[in-house]
Amino acid sequence: MHDVVVIGAGLAGLRCATDLAAEGVDVVVLEARARVGGRVWSHRFADGQTCERGAEFIDGDHHAVLALAAELGLSLTTRSAVLDPHATLLDAAGRAVPMYLHATLADDIARWERAVAALQPTDPFEHATLADLVSGLGLSVTSRVVIGRDIRTEYMLPPEEVSQRFAAELTTRRVPTQREVHRVRGGNDQLASGLAARLGAAVRVATPVHEVRADEGAVVLADGEVLQAGAVVAAVPLPVLSRMWAGMPPSLGAVGYGVGGKISMQFQRRLWLDYGRNGHVMSDRAWGHLWEATDDQPGDRGVLTNLLASHDGAAFVSLPDAVDHVVREIDRIFPGAQGLAGERVVTNWTDDPYSLGCYSCFGPGQWAAAQPALHACHGRLWLAGEHADGFAGFMEGALRSGARTATRLLARDEPRDELWR
């Protein structure tokens, strides 16, 4: 019998567990994978360069992430997220040219950004989508390609599946000048491993959960073992939770999840710099979006990350020849790249059985409908994760949610031997 069983050793579950353990709570963390971190997963190349297979960027106002990095003694790299239109390419209709050559683009993007910034969570547009917002601006075809790709990159779903209400929730929490300015030096997954180190043997990896019995506080493992607890915290993606918790409310099962993955490739040298480019390419093709993952790392070699976003990207990353196709596409844009391509890393979050998607993306009507169930206690079951925070889809949201759930559990007034029972 444990005080608390936490399901999922991602940032939310680990943050919750470490906060509880620090107060003397008997907690165990169950993780289906053979590693901690969940969708925060770093890859390390032989020369010491890194790329992120999952969550990559940290905003300058992601205070929970920044505080944890400082707490763990981790240093951050700093980069500029402002794209030079002379060095950034738009690949449309088979031609990759600098973005500055598209005369209408700058003005249209500025109009789009103003329209998004004007959204407020209190506005009555629960069932309106970002596609509705785009269509009302009278943008050029080229601008719609760029903005559509940007939406898919941000939310991992197409504009018609992203609610304006959800976009407003995120926009009002983010400072535009602070977006995507940091990564953890040496890999973001050190945030997770640092937390897990504090818990020691209380973290059980390679331990899949088969069933959660919310009213009983029982967790049935895949091997048949049953753990009983005063409280259970489910810190796994909602599509995964739906397969363990038969009583999950329909409003949670309806929450949308972005789909897709990443392909990262290390090149012997940063050939794109030879062409006066920064490696950032937005395309109208299925592979979609490319950027340099080592723009804040030293070395002659460089890594390009290809984000395969939304439905076309999810279909693309599942193809057996996806990597070779991406390399050929990069060689089309930067001739000579194919001969310099080295190690390739493929991550498909859609088909990962312990993720079943990239991160939450609330569609029309889903945000308001899900909030009561996300923040309620269901028998002895509590929910945590990026999907249960205003910073949904970010490491920040995962950490905030995990800390908040721990605080709510610790605030209960019963004596310890009756805690959460």
Short mmCIF file of all heavy atoms in Angstrom, two decimals, residues 104-156:
data_model
loop_
_atom_site.label_atom_id
_atom_site.label_comp_id
_atom_site.label_asym_id
_atom_site.label_seq_id
_atom_site.Cartn_x
_atom_site.Cartn_y
_atom_site.Cartn_z
N THR A 104 4.21 40.37 -50.58
CA THR A 104 3.05 40.54 -49.70
C THR A 104 3.23 39.86 -48.35
O THR A 104 2.41 40.05 -47.44
CB THR A 104 1.79 39.97 -50.36
OG1 THR A 104 1.97 38.56 -50.57
CG2 THR A 104 1.52 40.64 -51.69
N LEU A 105 4.27 39.07 -48.20
CA LEU A 105 4.37 38.18 -47.05
C LEU A 105 4.48 38.93 -45.72
O LEU A 105 3.76 38.64 -44.76
CB LEU A 105 5.56 37.24 -47.23
CG LEU A 105 5.59 35.98 -46.36
CD1 LEU A 105 4.29 35.21 -46.46
CD2 LEU A 105 6.76 35.10 -46.79
N ALA A 106 5.39 39.89 -45.63
CA ALA A 106 5.63 40.58 -44.36
C ALA A 106 4.37 41.26 -43.85
O ALA A 106 4.01 41.16 -42.66
CB ALA A 106 6.76 41.59 -44.51
N ASP A 107 3.66 41.97 -44.73
CA ASP A 107 2.45 42.67 -44.31
C ASP A 107 1.36 41.69 -43.89
O ASP A 107 0.65 41.90 -42.90
CB ASP A 107 1.94 43.57 -45.43
CG ASP A 107 2.84 44.79 -45.65
OD1 ASP A 107 3.66 45.09 -44.76
OD2 ASP A 107 2.72 45.42 -46.72
N ASP A 108 1.21 40.60 -44.66
CA ASP A 108 0.17 39.62 -44.33
C ASP A 108 0.45 38.93 -43.00
O ASP A 108 -0.47 38.70 -42.20
CB ASP A 108 0.06 38.58 -45.45
CG ASP A 108 -0.75 39.08 -46.63
OD1 ASP A 108 -1.27 40.20 -46.56
OD2 ASP A 108 -0.86 38.33 -47.62
N ILE A 109 1.71 38.58 -42.76
CA ILE A 109 2.05 37.93 -41.49
C ILE A 109 1.81 38.87 -40.33
O ILE A 109 1.32 38.47 -39.26
CB ILE A 109 3.51 37.43 -41.52
CG1 ILE A 109 3.63 36.23 -42.47
CG2 ILE A 109 3.98 37.03 -40.12
CD1 ILE A 109 5.02 35.71 -42.64
N ALA A 110 2.13 40.15 -40.52
CA ALA A 110 1.88 41.13 -39.47
C ALA A 110 0.38 41.24 -39.18
O ALA A 110 -0.03 41.33 -38.01
CB ALA A 110 2.43 42.49 -39.88
N ARG A 111 -0.46 41.20 -40.21
CA ARG A 111 -1.91 41.22 -40.01
C ARG A 111 -2.37 39.98 -39.26
O ARG A 111 -3.23 40.06 -38.36
CB ARG A 111 -2.62 41.31 -41.36
CG ARG A 111 -2.47 42.65 -42.07
CD ARG A 111 -3.07 42.58 -43.45
NE ARG A 111 -4.48 42.24 -43.41
CZ ARG A 111 -5.14 41.68 -44.41
NH1 ARG A 111 -4.50 41.35 -45.53
NH2 ARG A 111 -6.43 41.42 -44.31
N TRP A 112 -1.82 38.85 -39.63
CA TRP A 112 -2.17 37.60 -38.95
C TRP A 112 -1.78 37.65 -37.48
O TRP A 112 -2.58 37.29 -36.60
CB TRP A 112 -1.49 36.43 -39.65
CG TRP A 112 -1.43 35.17 -38.84
CD1 TRP A 112 -0.32 34.60 -38.29
CD2 TRP A 112 -2.54 34.33 -38.48
NE1 TRP A 112 -0.67 33.46 -37.62
CE2 TRP A 112 -2.02 33.27 -37.71
CE3 TRP A 112 -3.90 34.38 -38.74
CZ2 TRP A 112 -2.81 32.27 -37.19
CZ3 TRP A 112 -4.71 33.37 -38.21
CH2 TRP A 112 -4.17 32.33 -37.46
N GLU A 113 -0.58 38.11 -37.20
CA GLU A 113 -0.12 38.17 -35.81
C GLU A 113 -0.97 39.12 -34.98
O GLU A 113 -1.25 38.86 -33.81
CB GLU A 113 1.36 38.56 -35.77
CG GLU A 113 2.27 37.46 -36.32
CD GLU A 113 3.73 37.88 -36.37
OE1 GLU A 113 4.01 39.10 -36.29
OE2 GLU A 113 4.59 36.99 -36.52
N ARG A 114 -1.39 40.23 -35.57
CA ARG A 114 -2.27 41.16 -34.85
C ARG A 114 -3.62 40.52 -34.57
O ARG A 114 -4.20 40.69 -33.48
CB ARG A 114 -2.46 42.46 -35.65
CG ARG A 114 -1.22 43.35 -35.68
CD ARG A 114 -1.58 44.74 -36.19
NE ARG A 114 -2.08 44.73 -37.56
CZ ARG A 114 -1.31 44.85 -38.63
NH1 ARG A 114 0.01 44.98 -38.49
NH2 ARG A 114 -1.85 44.84 -39.84
N ALA A 115 -4.13 39.77 -35.55
CA ALA A 115 -5.43 39.10 -35.37
C ALA A 115 -5.37 38.07 -34.25
O ALA A 115 -6.30 37.97 -33.43
CB ALA A 115 -5.87 38.46 -36.68
N VAL A 116 -4.29 37.30 -34.20
CA VAL A 116 -4.14 36.30 -33.14
C VAL A 116 -3.96 36.98 -31.78
O VAL A 116 -4.55 36.56 -30.78
CB VAL A 116 -2.96 35.36 -33.45
CG1 VAL A 116 -2.69 34.43 -32.28
CG2 VAL A 116 -3.25 34.55 -34.70
N ALA A 117 -3.14 38.03 -31.75
CA ALA A 117 -2.89 38.73 -30.49
C ALA A 117 -4.17 39.36 -29.93
O ALA A 117 -4.30 39.54 -28.71
CB ALA A 117 -1.82 39.79 -30.69
N ALA A 118 -5.11 39.68 -30.81
CA ALA A 118 -6.35 40.31 -30.37
C ALA A 118 -7.33 39.32 -29.75
O ALA A 118 -8.29 39.73 -29.09
CB ALA A 118 -7.01 41.03 -31.54
N LEU A 119 -7.10 38.03 -29.96
CA LEU A 119 -8.00 37.03 -29.38
C LEU A 119 -7.91 37.06 -27.86
O LEU A 119 -6.83 37.17 -27.29
CB LEU A 119 -7.64 35.63 -29.88
CG LEU A 119 -7.78 35.35 -31.38
CD1 LEU A 119 -7.26 33.96 -31.70
CD2 LEU A 119 -9.22 35.50 -31.84
N GLN A 120 -9.04 36.93 -27.21
CA GLN A 120 -9.09 36.88 -25.75
C GLN A 120 -9.90 35.67 -25.31
O GLN A 120 -10.91 35.33 -25.95
CB GLN A 120 -9.73 38.16 -25.19
CG GLN A 120 -8.94 39.42 -25.46
CD GLN A 120 -7.58 39.41 -24.76
OE1 GLN A 120 -7.46 38.94 -23.63
NE2 GLN A 120 -6.55 39.90 -25.45
N PRO A 121 -9.47 35.01 -24.23
CA PRO A 121 -10.19 33.81 -23.78
C PRO A 121 -11.65 34.06 -23.44
O PRO A 121 -12.47 33.14 -23.46
CB PRO A 121 -9.41 33.39 -22.53
CG PRO A 121 -8.05 33.96 -22.72
CD PRO A 121 -8.26 35.26 -23.44
N THR A 122 -12.00 35.32 -23.15
CA THR A 122 -13.39 35.63 -22.78
C THR A 122 -14.26 35.89 -24.00
O THR A 122 -15.48 36.05 -23.85
CB THR A 122 -13.41 36.86 -21.87
OG1 THR A 122 -12.72 37.95 -22.51
CG2 THR A 122 -12.75 36.55 -20.53
N ASP A 123 -13.67 35.96 -25.19
CA ASP A 123 -14.47 36.20 -26.40
C ASP A 123 -15.39 35.01 -26.67
O ASP A 123 -15.03 33.87 -26.41
CB ASP A 123 -13.56 36.43 -27.61
CG ASP A 123 -12.81 37.75 -27.53
OD1 ASP A 123 -13.19 38.58 -26.69
OD2 ASP A 123 -11.85 37.95 -28.30
N PRO A 124 -16.56 35.28 -27.24
CA PRO A 124 -17.53 34.19 -27.48
C PRO A 124 -17.26 33.44 -28.78
O PRO A 124 -18.05 33.49 -29.73
CB PRO A 124 -18.87 34.94 -27.55
CG PRO A 124 -18.50 36.28 -28.12
CD PRO A 124 -17.13 36.60 -27.55
N PHE A 125 -16.14 32.73 -28.83
CA PHE A 125 -15.84 31.99 -30.06
C PHE A 125 -15.40 30.57 -29.75
O PHE A 125 -14.45 30.07 -30.31
CB PHE A 125 -14.77 32.70 -30.90
CG PHE A 125 -13.57 33.17 -30.12
CD1 PHE A 125 -12.91 32.34 -29.23
CD2 PHE A 125 -13.10 34.45 -30.29
CE1 PHE A 125 -11.80 32.76 -28.54
CE2 PHE A 125 -11.98 34.89 -29.59
CZ PHE A 125 -11.34 34.07 -28.73
N GLU A 126 -16.10 29.95 -28.84
CA GLU A 126 -15.75 28.60 -28.41
C GLU A 126 -15.71 27.60 -29.57
O GLU A 126 -14.93 26.67 -29.56
CB GLU A 126 -16.76 28.13 -27.35
CG GLU A 126 -16.47 26.77 -26.75
CD GLU A 126 -15.21 26.77 -25.87
OE1 GLU A 126 -14.92 27.80 -25.24
OE2 GLU A 126 -14.54 25.72 -25.83
N HIS A 127 -16.54 27.84 -30.58
CA HIS A 127 -16.62 26.88 -31.69
C HIS A 127 -15.98 27.41 -32.97
O HIS A 127 -16.07 26.77 -34.01
CB HIS A 127 -18.07 26.49 -31.94
CG HIS A 127 -18.66 25.69 -30.81
ND1 HIS A 127 -18.51 24.33 -30.68
CD2 HIS A 127 -19.37 26.09 -29.73
CE1 HIS A 127 -19.11 23.92 -29.59
NE2 HIS A 127 -19.64 24.96 -28.99
N ALA A 128 -15.31 28.56 -32.91
CA ALA A 128 -14.62 29.09 -34.08
C ALA A 128 -13.22 28.50 -34.15
O ALA A 128 -12.63 28.13 -33.13
CB ALA A 128 -14.54 30.61 -34.01
N THR A 129 -12.66 28.41 -35.36
CA THR A 129 -11.34 27.81 -35.56
C THR A 129 -10.36 28.83 -36.10
O THR A 129 -10.74 29.92 -36.56
CB THR A 129 -11.42 26.63 -36.54
OG1 THR A 129 -11.70 27.15 -37.86
CG2 THR A 129 -12.50 25.64 -36.14
N LEU A 130 -9.09 28.45 -36.11
CA LEU A 130 -8.09 29.32 -36.72
C LEU A 130 -8.28 29.41 -38.23
O LEU A 130 -7.90 30.41 -38.84
CB LEU A 130 -6.68 28.82 -36.39
CG LEU A 130 -6.25 28.97 -34.93
CD1 LEU A 130 -4.79 28.57 -34.75
CD2 LEU A 130 -6.46 30.40 -34.42
N ALA A 131 -8.86 28.39 -38.84
CA ALA A 131 -9.17 28.47 -40.27
C ALA A 131 -10.17 29.59 -40.53
O ALA A 131 -10.07 30.31 -41.54
CB ALA A 131 -9.72 27.14 -40.76
N ASP A 132 -11.14 29.76 -39.62
CA ASP A 132 -12.09 30.86 -39.76
C ASP A 132 -11.38 32.21 -39.69
O ASP A 132 -11.70 33.14 -40.44
CB ASP A 132 -13.15 30.79 -38.65
CG ASP A 132 -13.97 29.51 -38.70
OD1 ASP A 132 -14.23 29.01 -39.82
OD2 ASP A 132 -14.34 29.00 -37.63
N LEU A 133 -10.41 32.30 -38.78
CA LEU A 133 -9.67 33.55 -38.63
C LEU A 133 -8.85 33.86 -39.87
O LEU A 133 -8.83 35.00 -40.36
CB LEU A 133 -8.76 33.45 -37.40
CG LEU A 133 -8.10 34.75 -36.91
CD1 LEU A 133 -9.15 35.76 -36.49
CD2 LEU A 133 -7.16 34.45 -35.74
N VAL A 134 -8.18 32.84 -40.41
CA VAL A 134 -7.36 33.03 -41.61
C VAL A 134 -8.22 33.47 -42.79
O VAL A 134 -7.88 34.40 -43.52
CB VAL A 134 -6.61 31.72 -41.96
CG1 VAL A 134 -5.96 31.84 -43.34
CG2 VAL A 134 -5.55 31.41 -40.92
N SER A 135 -9.36 32.81 -42.96
CA SER A 135 -10.18 33.08 -44.14
C SER A 135 -10.75 34.49 -44.14
O SER A 135 -11.07 35.03 -45.20
CB SER A 135 -11.32 32.06 -44.23
OG SER A 135 -12.21 32.21 -43.14
N GLY A 136 -10.86 35.10 -42.96
CA GLY A 136 -11.43 36.43 -42.88
C GLY A 136 -10.44 37.55 -43.11
O GLY A 136 -10.83 38.73 -43.11
N LEU A 137 -9.17 37.22 -43.36
CA LEU A 137 -8.13 38.25 -43.49
C LEU A 137 -7.79 38.59 -44.93
O LEU A 137 -7.05 39.56 -45.18
CB LEU A 137 -6.86 37.81 -42.76
CG LEU A 137 -6.98 37.66 -41.24
CD1 LEU A 137 -5.67 37.14 -40.66
CD2 LEU A 137 -7.36 38.99 -40.59
N GLY A 138 -8.29 37.83 -45.90
CA GLY A 138 -8.01 38.12 -47.30
C GLY A 138 -6.54 38.05 -47.65
O GLY A 138 -6.01 38.91 -48.37
N LEU A 139 -5.87 37.00 -47.19
CA LEU A 139 -4.42 36.86 -47.40
C LEU A 139 -4.10 36.32 -48.78
O LEU A 139 -4.93 35.66 -49.42
CB LEU A 139 -3.85 35.92 -46.34
CG LEU A 139 -4.14 36.27 -44.88
CD1 LEU A 139 -3.62 35.18 -43.97
CD2 LEU A 139 -3.52 37.61 -44.51
N SER A 140 -2.88 36.58 -49.23
CA SER A 140 -2.42 36.02 -50.50
C SER A 140 -2.22 34.52 -50.35
O SER A 140 -2.12 33.99 -49.24
CB SER A 140 -1.10 36.67 -50.92
OG SER A 140 -0.05 36.25 -50.05
N VAL A 141 -2.16 33.83 -51.49
CA VAL A 141 -1.96 32.38 -51.48
C VAL A 141 -0.65 32.03 -50.79
O VAL A 141 -0.59 31.11 -49.95
CB VAL A 141 -1.98 31.82 -52.91
CG1 VAL A 141 -1.60 30.35 -52.91
CG2 VAL A 141 -3.35 32.00 -53.54
N THR A 142 0.41 32.76 -51.11
CA THR A 142 1.71 32.49 -50.49
C THR A 142 1.65 32.68 -48.98
O THR A 142 2.19 31.87 -48.22
CB THR A 142 2.79 33.42 -51.09
OG1 THR A 142 2.86 33.19 -52.49
CG2 THR A 142 4.14 33.15 -50.46
N SER A 143 1.00 33.72 -48.55
CA SER A 143 0.89 33.97 -47.11
C SER A 143 0.10 32.87 -46.42
O SER A 143 0.43 32.47 -45.29
CB SER A 143 0.22 35.32 -46.86
OG SER A 143 0.99 36.37 -47.42
N ARG A 144 -0.93 32.37 -47.08
CA ARG A 144 -1.70 31.28 -46.48
C ARG A 144 -0.87 30.01 -46.35
O ARG A 144 -1.04 29.24 -45.39
CB ARG A 144 -2.96 31.01 -47.31
CG ARG A 144 -3.99 32.13 -47.22
CD ARG A 144 -5.10 31.94 -48.24
NE ARG A 144 -5.98 30.85 -47.86
CZ ARG A 144 -7.15 30.99 -47.25
NH1 ARG A 144 -7.58 32.19 -46.92
NH2 ARG A 144 -7.89 29.95 -46.96
N VAL A 145 0.05 29.79 -47.28
CA VAL A 145 0.96 28.64 -47.19
C VAL A 145 1.83 28.77 -45.94
O VAL A 145 1.96 27.84 -45.13
CB VAL A 145 1.84 28.51 -48.44
CG1 VAL A 145 2.96 27.49 -48.21
CG2 VAL A 145 1.01 28.10 -49.64
N VAL A 146 2.43 29.94 -45.76
CA VAL A 146 3.33 30.16 -44.63
C VAL A 146 2.57 30.10 -43.30
O VAL A 146 3.00 29.44 -42.35
CB VAL A 146 4.06 31.51 -44.78
CG1 VAL A 146 4.86 31.84 -43.51
CG2 VAL A 146 4.98 31.48 -45.99
N ILE A 147 1.45 30.79 -43.23
CA ILE A 147 0.69 30.82 -41.98
C ILE A 147 0.09 29.45 -41.66
O ILE A 147 0.09 29.00 -40.51
CB ILE A 147 -0.41 31.90 -42.06
CG1 ILE A 147 0.26 33.29 -42.06
CG2 ILE A 147 -1.40 31.78 -40.91
CD1 ILE A 147 -0.67 34.42 -42.42
N GLY A 148 -0.38 28.76 -42.70
CA GLY A 148 -0.87 27.40 -42.49
C GLY A 148 0.21 26.48 -41.96
O GLY A 148 -0.03 25.66 -41.07
N ARG A 149 1.42 26.60 -42.50
CA ARG A 149 2.53 25.78 -42.03
C ARG A 149 2.88 26.16 -40.60
O ARG A 149 3.18 25.30 -39.76
CB ARG A 149 3.74 25.95 -42.95
CG ARG A 149 4.97 25.17 -42.53
CD ARG A 149 4.69 23.70 -42.33
NE ARG A 149 4.20 23.05 -43.53
CZ ARG A 149 3.63 21.85 -43.53
NH1 ARG A 149 3.46 21.18 -42.39
NH2 ARG A 149 3.22 21.30 -44.67
N ASP A 150 2.87 27.45 -40.28
CA ASP A 150 3.18 27.90 -38.93
C ASP A 150 2.17 27.35 -37.92
O ASP A 150 2.54 26.93 -36.82
CB ASP A 150 3.22 29.43 -38.89
CG ASP A 150 3.71 29.95 -37.56
OD1 ASP A 150 4.84 29.61 -37.18
OD2 ASP A 150 2.97 30.70 -36.89
N ILE A 151 0.90 27.34 -38.29
CA ILE A 151 -0.13 26.77 -37.41
C ILE A 151 0.11 25.29 -37.19
O ILE A 151 0.04 24.79 -36.05
CB ILE A 151 -1.53 27.02 -37.99
CG1 ILE A 151 -1.86 28.52 -37.95
CG2 ILE A 151 -2.59 26.21 -37.24
CD1 ILE A 151 -3.12 28.88 -38.71
N ARG A 152 0.41 24.57 -38.26
CA ARG A 152 0.67 23.13 -38.12
C ARG A 152 1.90 22.87 -37.25
O ARG A 152 1.93 21.90 -36.48
CB ARG A 152 0.85 22.52 -39.51
CG ARG A 152 -0.45 22.38 -40.29
CD ARG A 152 -0.22 22.02 -41.76
NE ARG A 152 -1.46 21.73 -42.45
CZ ARG A 152 -2.27 22.66 -42.94
NH1 ARG A 152 -1.96 23.94 -42.82
NH2 ARG A 152 -3.39 22.31 -43.56
N THR A 153 2.91 23.71 -37.37
CA THR A 153 4.10 23.56 -36.55
C THR A 153 3.79 23.82 -35.08
O THR A 153 4.27 23.11 -34.19
CB THR A 153 5.20 24.54 -37.02
OG1 THR A 153 5.61 24.16 -38.34
CG2 THR A 153 6.40 24.52 -36.10
N GLU A 154 2.99 24.82 -34.81
CA GLU A 154 2.68 25.21 -33.43
C GLU A 154 1.76 24.20 -32.76
O GLU A 154 1.95 23.85 -31.59
CB GLU A 154 2.03 26.59 -33.43
CG GLU A 154 1.76 27.14 -32.05
CD GLU A 154 3.00 27.68 -31.36
OE1 GLU A 154 4.07 27.78 -32.01
OE2 GLU A 154 2.92 28.01 -30.17
N TYR A 155 0.74 23.73 -33.48
CA TYR A 155 -0.31 22.92 -32.86
C TYR A 155 -0.31 21.46 -33.31
O TYR A 155 -1.01 20.64 -32.74
CB TYR A 155 -1.68 23.53 -33.16
CG TYR A 155 -1.83 24.94 -32.62
CD1 TYR A 155 -1.67 26.05 -33.45
CD2 TYR A 155 -2.13 25.16 -31.28
CE1 TYR A 155 -1.80 27.35 -32.96
CE2 TYR A 155 -2.28 26.45 -30.79
CZ TYR A 155 -2.10 27.54 -31.63
OH TYR A 155 -2.22 28.81 -31.14
N MET A 156 0.44 21.14 -34.37
CA MET A 156 0.52 19.79 -34.92
C MET A 156 -0.81 19.30 -35.47
O MET A 156 -1.02 18.09 -35.64
CB MET A 156 1.09 18.81 -33.89
CG MET A 156 2.46 19.19 -33.34
SD MET A 156 3.75 19.30 -34.60
CE MET A 156 4.06 17.56 -34.95
#
